[in-house]
Amino acid sequence: LSAFLDFSLTAEVLVLALKAADPFADDGFERLVRNADVVIDVGPDGATSCAAGAERLALWNPALVHVTVSAFGLDGPKAH
């Protein structure tokens, strides 16, 4: 736990609430992704959850770790 806290205290974190119809149209978002280590989507309707979004993230930053988190999964009766 101590090592985790030491690492996370030096990490830079930015939280974005992307509600645009196409966040990929924003050059600022692309610049952030190109310099990021991790992108975390929240929910099945996350801005980058679709396959096309994940592919574009990978093109912008091949080393990027892209995670999608959803309380009820990405599909199924309780996903939405």
Side-chain angles (χ1 to χ4, degrees):
L1 182 63
S2 177
F4 173 76
L5 291 175
D6 289 343
F7 174 76
S8 63
L9 290 176
T10 61
E12 294 180 34
V13 177
L14 176 65
V15 177
L16 298 175
L18 299 174
K19 297 191 184 222
D22 184 8
F24 296 103
D26 184 0
D27 290 338
F29 181 66
E30 179 180 349
R31 282 192 305 266
L32 289 171
V33 170
R34 287 188 183 278
N35 293 299
D37 295 318
V38 179
V39 169
I40 302 173
D41 277 334
V42 178
D45 296 324
T48 60
S49 293
C50 66
E55 290 172 5
R56 194 167 319 175
L57 292 178
L59 284 174
W60 289 344
N61 185 344
L64 184 72
V65 176
H66 177 217
V67 179
T68 300
V69 180
S70 174
F72 298 105
L74 297 177
D75 55 16
K78 295 186 178 183
H80 298 278

